[in-house]
Amino acid sequence: GGNDSEEDMFGDYDSFYGNDSLIAQVDDIEHKYLQDKNMDVKAAGEVVLGNLQSGVHQKEQDNFSASENMVGLKSDKEGACQMPDSHPAGGNQELTESILDDLPSSQLLYFEKMDELSSASRTSPVSKGRDEPVNSSSDRVRDPLSFYTGAEHRNRPTDSSSCSKRVLFKTESLKDHLKNAMTGNARAQTLQVSKTKQLKEAVLSEEIFVARKAIESSSVDIGPFYGLPSKVKDLFRQLRGIETLYEWQHDCLMLESLQQRKNLIYSLPTSGGKTLVAEIIILQELLCRQKDVLMILPYVAIVQEKVRGLSSFGIELGFLVEEYAGSKGRFPPIKRRVKKSLYIATIEKGHALVNSLIETERIDDLGLVVVDELHMLGEGSRGAILEITLAKILYTSKKTQIIGMSATLNNVGDLQKFLQAEYYTNNFRPVELKEYIKIRDTIYAVDSKAENGFTFSRLLNFKYSSNLEKADPDHIIALVTEVIPKYSCLIFCPTKKSCENVASLVCKYLKKEFRAHREKEKEDLIKNLKSIGNGTVCPVLKQTIPFGIAYHHSGLTNDERKSIEETYSSATLAAGVNLPARRVILRSPYVGNDFMKKNQYKQMIGRAGRAGIDSAGESILIVQEKDKHLVQDLVHSPLENCYSNLLLELTKGMQSLLLSLVGLKIAVTHEEVDNFMCCTLLGVQQQLLSKEKSLSEVVKDGLENLIEKGLLKGRISEQDHNSKFSLTITPLGKATYKGSIDLAYCNLLYRDLKKGLEGLVLESNLHLLYLSTPCDMTFTCSPDWMIYFRQFNQLSAAERKVADIVGVPESFIMKKASGQAIRKNVDNAVVNRLYLTFVLYSLLKETNIWSVSERFNMSRGYVQNLLSSAASFASCLLHFCEELEEFWVYKALLTELTKQLTYCVKTELIPLMEVAGVLEARAKQLYNAGYKTLAHLANANPETLVRMIEHLSRRQAKQIISSAKMLLSEKAEALQEEVEELLKQ
């Protein structure tokens, strides 16, 4: 029993370990059941599937926007669509591991009923067998027996003594003590035990056991569903509506290189279903190979979506799903002895997680890393951070497999060299895509064989009055009304403003009968938006939604975007792909002021055509005569190249890498660092990228710079490679990389915090908030001086002192507001930072994004983004302070502040908002319906939830319950790890 002791903490074992007859009976049934269970696996076929993230929409900092037309098909199938479920995901381990998983503390009263239950279950007939419908994850809690009795024994068929060993493992008093404490927490109603579920558990454990044995003997064919228990296949069917795999997915999973655990890059067009492949590989790693998995996704919202989507798999299959995004995530992660973890992380948090695993010498526990949108390696500082993360994994762990999903790239060979990876590509699309462009009133088909790349398709025949011609010279209304309301239509616009304008324009000229189409759903959406906005709805949406039209861009809050997406999806019946449509219209070939890039174009047109519904999808790009030649290039040009950003992004790239290499002792001499650099993408592309200096010189300059800044100690010898001098990191250097602080700001932060020690104003949280206001957002902010002055006037005397301490004199703001000349030199970054602090200060006071964004004349999306950046920055600052003895006092203050910034709600809602995907509006609904704690949610019945909470689909209810169970089990596990640490001492 090497990994004993997971369940014992709560079990009252005597009551059922002693009960042989029950165990014998379960064994018996299991035996019969396994004999007639036939395990067949369908090969590839067709499925309504595809969950591909569009980097365009979801970008938090996007300037892309889509006016989306939600007039969809008549039929309405609940749950058919999965919104940005965009990224692969995973699964994991020992199925029956801890009862905590499925039995939160409030269920412990079941123990008293155990005897009655067991005698009852002995007499109940077991006739239903396999025909009973498969119950979904959220009902699973209702079956305490399958968990202990049967499952315990079945999972260790080889070692019958392990059970008795387990019983004696814990000291009696501790067990009682914890049990009493936890039983006291709860009243739980008794529920029925389903036999069928026990049997399913039996088969599952059996299959996993067989699979594991097979893996040890390294044979390839280890189980019915790509080496996984057939329960996994049932879960994909239940939770995702996926019946069979596409042929390419099957081929990809069967690749020789995957069987040998080589690294792999694969690319497919948008909506080809590439996420599913990654998810299956993740589950194989967690369940069969028993290793942890890290999944890196580009944006916070996508991470949360994925955590929600995969929690139910974790609950059902016995692994943990841990969120690493914004201010969430533990460093280093808790070391679990039994369960495996799937870490779902943003790029930044993924990097911090890898650092902490290297530091604690646990990087080998990481069996697999999956990266979505791998082509982001070429995009700015986030690309640099991703490259650093992958290079560290390649260099420090030979056992970790890396799998990247990428848009199709021109120079994928460089990425293959960097990741030592095989490449798989396929231009499969579930629905044929027809590409068109429109110039004036003529539509041309994109045709690579034609001389100039286009062939004439048709003329638009739509009667425009002269008024309409003026209002809509690009004939957007004609293009839209050809498809709606029978089918759905998406319009991508170059700016947020243009998005809202197009939405208003289209609904002005639509006929009145459009309002009658699916009227109730549209009313519900408006009601829902109203409750999200505390009674206010955006006036444009209020005007357009009755016509089935909405805009969607980063100026909306996450909650608003989500409601709009969900309504759109239920109307278009799309499975998987987020926001697909029969027709996609690109309003112009620009994104903001820049001409569109090829991969952006591909992302957008990729949404045309809904798998299983449309026979084809079409995209129409609206072009002005003057851009015609540019568009020819755009449509027919080869794909983009992806280049390393390590050199371009100095402080977040190269310098940050050098600092952490020394800090983590991965490489501590110039020579070792040079060796490491060969493992980077920059190393592969050095001929192209560092023409002036050799890479070794660049490294030398970087190291010297860090020594100068006081982040590293030591010296670098003159002769190039006689560099045996070893470097060490200074406390400030260590704090900087452990807090993931941009090197451009570490000295500034240190000074600010140091100054704070001399006189931190704590009358209100203004001073602390200033310290937690992200430095890098000061560039995007231009204060409105009148508003600034007004805010200033509302400060108390102590708060004005804060402005003085940080260096923003009142006289300066006053002169700015009244337009006078200013002689004194004041630091702009500080002035802007304090302005953002005022925004955060108002937010924490009122917890109402709407009123604050109106007061400061900023978009709600921007304000919300500021809030989540601040939460994330505050948690980085906390890690920074933890490394520096002198800042001990900040730890408690920042811990609390981070929590406030993360949830920005009345305190009583915080426990509910810790659950993945529960945003403020939802938390209020749940709280008012009586669900006030995590345990309440984890024990909820999905049917009751759907009945009590407005606008909640069954699928969402089940996801929320699974996420709550996952969180509860994580907390309980953490508690147990602590208890065991104590016992060892």
Side-chain angles (χ1 to χ4, degrees):
N3 36 5
D4 311 342
S5 80
E6 193 82 20
E7 16 324 65
D8 320 46
M9 187 157 130
F10 298 106
D12 199 342
Y13 292 107
D14 334 21
S15 64
F16 34 78
Y17 278 167
N19 194 337
D20 283 331
S21 52
L22 175 62
I23 286 164
Q25 171 163 7
V26 171
D27 264 329
D28 217 332
I29 294 170
E30 172 196 349
H31 198 71
K32 274 222 308 272
Y33 185 71
L34 283 172
Q35 282 171 343
D36 59 24
K37 168 114 177 100
N38 85 42
M39 297 181 184
D40 62 313
V41 75
K42 279 212 178 99
E46 276 270 305
V47 57
V48 183
L49 150 93
N51 10 15
L52 215 281
Q53 178 48 38
S54 143
V56 181
H57 249 169
Q58 226 65 25
K59 270 194 184 166
E60 249 113 45
Q61 57 270 56
D62 69 347
N63 45 8
F64 231 89
S65 324
S67 296
E68 300 176 343
N69 205 336
M70 295 187 276
V71 194
L73 296 175
K74 288 270 189 289
S75 64
D76 188 2
K77 196 166 77 203
E78 189 269 318
C81 172
Q82 292 159 4
M83 275 312 309
D85 199 334
S86 68
H87 296 293
N92 197 346
Q93 169 161 319
E94 194 129 19
L95 296 157
T96 50
E97 229 36 281
S98 105
I99 55 183
L100 290 182
D101 250 340
D102 279 319
L103 291 184
S105 55
S106 53
Q107 303 269 316
L108 286 159
L109 294 176
Y110 277 140
F111 292 156
E112 297 158 23
K113 312 270 179 189
M114 264 317 177
D115 289 324
E116 301 159 39
L117 277 176
S118 57
S119 55
S121 68
R122 239 172 283 135
T123 54
S124 72
V126 190
S127 54
K128 285 193 177 154
R130 263 175 313 172
D131 306 319
E132 197 170 291
V134 178
N135 274 337
S136 102
S137 61
S138 32
D139 310 334
R140 167 101 171 296
V141 137
R142 316 246 134 64
D143 178 8
L145 274 181
S146 72
F147 252 86
Y148 318 129
T149 44
E152 261 308 83
H153 280 247
R154 290 194 293 263
N155 215 5
R156 297 258 190 296
T158 45
D159 175 9
S160 54
S161 65
S162 69
C163 289
S164 49
K165 260 196 293 212
R166 286 179 172 225
V167 186
L168 307 169
F169 187 80
K170 278 274 186 323
T171 54
E172 199 54 36
S173 61
L174 177 70
K175 187 177 86 177
D176 284 4
H177 179 74
L178 278 169
K179 199 168 77 193
N180 293 342
M182 291 197 146
T183 311
N185 286 344
R187 312 246 178 305
Q189 71 264 50
T190 46
L191 296 147
Q192 291 69 46
V193 171
S194 122
K195 255 320 191 240
T196 325
K197 281 202 192 134
Q198 279 180 305
L199 297 181
K200 288 213 174 91
E201 293 297 332
V203 177
L204 180 62
S205 315
E206 183 58 32
E207 285 179 0
I208 280 210
F209 179 72
V210 172
R212 236 178 250 165
K213 276 277 161 282
I215 269 196
E216 283 153 23
S217 67
S218 86
S219 94
V220 182
D221 185 15
I222 53 172
F225 183 68
Y226 299 100
L228 289 161
S230 55
K231 174 163 189 185
V232 172
K233 190 179 173 184
D234 297 342
L235 286 172
F236 277 116
R237 183 163 52 239
Q238 269 170 56
L239 302 172
R240 298 283 174 79
I242 292 170
E243 293 287 340
T244 46
L245 273 65
Y246 290 132
E247 204 167 318
W248 81 263
Q249 292 172 322
H250 176 76
D251 295 346
C252 188
L253 285 166
M254 300 315 283
L255 286 176
E256 189 58 32
S257 51
L258 274 184
Q259 312 289 334
Q260 295 166 9
R261 292 197 83 249
K262 290 201 176 117
N263 295 347
L264 176 72
I265 299 169
Y266 66 99
S267 47
L268 270 105
T270 301
S271 83
K274 60 183 177 186
T275 305
L276 181 66
V277 170
E279 292 182 336
I280 290 173
I281 297 169
I282 287 172
L283 290 172
Q284 291 170 336
E285 191 67 27
L286 289 162
L287 298 176
C288 307
R289 305 197 61 260
Q290 297 281 305
K291 288 282 198 187
D292 297 328
V293 177
L294 166 61
M295 180 177 195
I296 298 179
L297 308 180
Y299 305 103
V300 177
I302 301 166
V303 169
Q304 291 167 341
E305 191 79 38
K306 208 32 141 186
V307 169
R308 204 165 55 245
L310 287 169
S311 283
S312 2
F313 281 83
I315 296 288
E316 291 288 324
L317 298 166
F319 59 88
L320 294 161
V321 178
E322 304 188 39
E323 179 183 335
Y324 280 77
S327 61
K328 303 257 178 90
R330 285 199 178 91
F331 303 98
I334 293 176
K335 193 164 172 57
R336 323 263 179 196
R337 254 185 330 291
V338 189
K339 291 207 159 182
K340 292 297 159 245
S341 289
L342 166 61
Y343 309 112
I344 304 182
T346 54
I347 292 173
E348 294 76 6
K349 287 288 185 260
H351 179 223
L353 177 66
V354 166
N355 280 347
S356 72
L357 289 172
I358 292 173
E359 186 173 20
T360 50
E361 296 180 353
R362 287 163 48 190
I363 189 75
D364 282 343
D365 296 350
L366 202 56
L368 170 68
V369 176
V370 172
V371 182
D372 190 45
E373 316 268 338
L374 183 68
H375 51 269
M376 285 192 71
L377 278 168
E379 292 174 27
S381 62
R382 320 192 65 212
I385 296 171
L386 183 57
E387 178 180 343
I388 290 172
T389 310
L390 293 172
K392 283 175 178 168
I393 294 167
L394 287 164
Y395 192 82
T396 57
S397 169
K398 299 291 168 246
K399 296 197 181 95
T400 307
Q401 184 184 15
I402 296 174
I403 291 182
M405 295 175 279
S406 170
T408 25
L409 290 170
N410 195 25
N411 64 342
V412 74
D414 287 357
L415 270 62
Q416 277 181 263
K417 262 194 212 120
F418 165 44
L419 295 177
Q420 301 145 37
E422 310 269 318
Y423 182 56
Y424 175 86
T425 179
N426 190 317
N427 43 18
F428 168 81
R429 267 189 61 98
V431 187
E432 184 195 358
L433 169 62
K434 297 178 174 153
E435 282 177 66
Y436 299 96
I437 68 164
K438 181 184 91 64
I439 298 178
R440 295 206 183 87
D441 56 358
T442 313
I443 291 181
Y444 300 91
V446 173
D447 176 1
S448 46
K449 296 184 199 66
E451 189 177 327
N452 63 354
F454 303 111
T455 50
F456 172 82
S457 173
R458 66 192 173 99
L459 280 168
L460 266 185
N461 54 347
F462 188 79
K463 303 288 173 280
Y464 266 57
S465 63
S466 60
N467 262 354
L468 186 49
E469 189 65 52
K470 274 197 209 72
D472 180 23
D474 288 330
H475 311 104
I476 290 174
I477 291 165
L479 293 174
V480 167
T481 46
E482 286 179 343
V483 282
I484 66 169
K486 193 173 178 196
Y487 302 108
S488 56
C489 178
L490 266 184
I491 307 172
F492 285 102
C493 306
T495 63
K496 296 202 225 350
K497 197 68 206 133
S498 142
C499 231
E500 298 173 34
N501 295 343
V502 170
S504 298
L505 170 81
V506 175
C507 86
K508 257 196 208 93
Y509 291 96
L510 282 184
K511 300 194 181 70
K512 292 288 166 275
E513 47 265 34
F514 278 96
R515 298 181 70 111
H517 192 264
R518 304 175 75 115
E519 207 166 355
K520 175 159 183 345
E521 286 170 58
K522 296 188 290 201
E523 279 167 16
D524 282 351
L525 175 59
I526 291 181
K527 263 192 222 141
N528 197 13
L529 289 170
K530 201 169 182 166
S531 75
I532 290 171
N534 292 323
T536 3
V537 181
C538 155
V540 179
L541 288 174
K542 206 166 165 176
Q543 173 207 3
T544 63
I545 288 173
F547 289 94
I549 297 169
Y551 71 86
H552 176 291
H553 60 55
S554 67
L556 292 166
T557 63
N558 293 338
D559 312 46
E560 291 173 295
R561 284 202 292 243
K562 205 169 185 57
S563 303
I564 290 169
E565 286 164 10
E566 278 162 0
T567 311
Y568 177 85
S569 309
S570 67
T572 57
L573 274 187
V577 182
N578 41 343
L579 310 184
R582 174 60 166 274
R583 173 177 290 179
V584 170
I585 299 170
L586 281 62
R587 173 79 186 74
S588 103
Y590 289 86
V591 175
N593 301 320
D594 308 323
F595 196 76
M596 189 181 286
K597 293 198 186 71
K598 178 79 174 193
N599 58 12
Q600 292 171 321
Y601 174 71
K602 282 285 202 206
Q603 282 273 26
M604 291 180 238
I605 65 172
R607 304 195 173 209
R610 295 154 304 162
I613 302 171
D614 298 328
S615 50
E618 52 188 15
S619 68
I620 301 172
L621 170 58
I622 298 174
V623 181
Q624 308 306 321
E625 196 70 56
K626 66 176 173 62
D627 291 329
K628 196 172 169 182
H629 61 287
L630 288 171
V631 168
Q632 265 168 342
D633 295 345
L634 171 71
V635 175
H636 296 293
S637 68
L639 294 153
E640 264 116 21
N641 287 322
C642 171
Y643 297 115
S644 167
N645 270 288
L646 275 189
L647 289 181
L648 293 174
E649 296 287 335
L650 239 186
T651 56
K652 283 189 175 177
M654 191 60 152
Q655 292 192 348
S656 151
L657 170 60
L658 296 175
L659 180 66
S660 61
L661 285 181
V662 176
L664 293 165
K665 304 190 176 59
I666 296 172
V668 294
T669 65
H670 185 182
E671 191 176 357
E672 286 174 3
V673 175
D674 279 346
N675 291 340
F676 179 92
M677 295 313 289
C678 303
C679 283
T680 59
L681 178 58
L682 175 61
V684 174
Q685 298 176 330
Q686 53 185 310
Q687 269 66 46
L688 286 169
L689 301 181
S690 67
K691 293 201 174 74
E692 290 77 59
K693 293 180 170 178
S694 75
L695 199 47
S696 183
E697 288 171 294
V698 173
V699 166
K700 183 161 167 281
D701 293 349
L703 292 169
E704 281 170 352
N705 188 322
L706 292 171
I707 293 172
E708 234 167 275
K709 279 190 176 164
L711 300 173
L712 292 181
K713 289 201 293 275
R715 60 196 187 90
I716 305 153
S717 69
E718 286 310 304
Q719 299 76 32
D720 218 359
H721 267 285
N722 180 16
S723 39
K724 293 283 178 263
F725 292 108
S726 111
L727 296 159
T728 53
I729 196 161
T730 64
L732 179 62
K734 188 170 186 199
T736 302
Y737 89 80
K738 289 195 80 165
S740 310
I741 303 287
D742 184 341
L743 271 66
Y745 306 120
C746 60
N747 285 324
L748 170 86
L749 284 180
Y750 182 79
R751 282 200 307 275
D752 282 348
L753 290 162
K754 192 86 177 139
K755 208 155 142 195
L757 288 181
E758 294 162 26
L760 190 64
V761 177
L762 291 173
E763 182 208 57
S764 75
N765 53 13
L766 187 68
H767 199 161
L768 266 181
L769 268 176
Y770 175 78
L771 296 173
S772 314
T773 304
C775 305
D776 54 1
M777 284 193 72
T778 54
F779 305 114
T780 57
C781 149
S782 43
D784 175 321
W785 301 108
M786 278 313 292
I787 295 175
Y788 208 151
F789 186 56
R790 221 172 294 147
Q791 289 303 307
F792 226 100
N793 283 335
Q794 293 167 11
L795 298 180
S796 69
E799 290 169 336
R800 289 181 188 215
K801 201 169 136 203
V802 174
D804 248 7
I805 294 172
V806 301
V808 183
E810 185 171 5
S811 56
F812 171 81
I813 301 297
M814 200 168 84
K815 285 185 176 151
K816 275 290 204 189
S818 57
Q820 297 171 32
I822 287 157
R823 292 180 200 72
K824 218 164 97 197
N825 199 5
V826 171
D827 182 352
N828 262 342
V830 174
V831 175
N832 290 2
R833 195 171 168 202
L834 185 65
Y835 187 67
L836 292 175
T837 304
F838 282 165
V839 179
L840 291 166
Y841 185 51
S842 305
L843 268 175
L844 289 188
K845 271 221 289 252
E846 297 164 44
T847 70
N848 180 347
I849 286 185
W850 277 79
S851 60
V852 173
S853 61
E854 269 168 38
R855 177 171 330 132
F856 286 91
N857 198 8
M858 293 170 162
S859 79
R860 302 182 293 287
Y862 180 82
V863 171
Q864 191 175 46
N865 186 27
L866 170 66
L867 186 62
S868 69
S869 304
S872 175
F873 189 69
S875 74
C876 290
L877 201 58
L878 173 61
H879 295 303
F880 180 84
C881 291
E882 281 173 340
E883 294 303 316
L884 296 165
E885 196 71 10
E886 61 203 286
F887 292 152
W888 65 273
V889 58
Y890 284 115
K891 281 187 243 174
L893 298 171
L894 286 168
T895 307
E896 197 39 50
L897 188 68
T898 304
K899 219 175 180 144
Q900 286 180 12
L901 287 166
T902 303
Y903 302 111
C904 187
V905 289
K906 307 275 180 284
T907 331
E908 69 267 15
L909 296 180
I910 290 182
L912 299 175
M913 288 191 55
E914 289 184 69
V915 177
V918 174
L919 297 163
E920 182 179 1
R922 183 72 80 216
K924 281 183 186 157
Q925 286 179 310
L926 291 165
Y927 191 84
N928 296 336
Y931 295 94
K932 298 189 173 173
T933 65
L934 195 53
H936 286 163
L937 269 191
N939 299 324
N941 173 338
E943 301 306 322
T944 321
L945 267 192
V946 172
R947 231 183 13 257
M948 294 181 68
I949 307 287
E950 268 192 279
H951 313 299
L952 182 71
S953 71
R954 198 160 277 104
R955 186 168 144 266
Q956 291 166 314
K958 287 177 175 170
Q959 280 194 342
I960 286 177
I961 294 168
S962 293
S963 302
K965 285 182 194 165
M966 179 58 74
L967 201 63
L968 204 61
S969 74
E970 256 184 67
K971 292 190 166 194
E973 293 239 339
L975 204 76
Q976 185 171 344
E977 302 283 341
E978 278 176 43
V979 169
E980 299 191 351
E981 283 307 306
L982 289 174
L983 279 181
K984 281 183 199 151
Q985 286 166 14

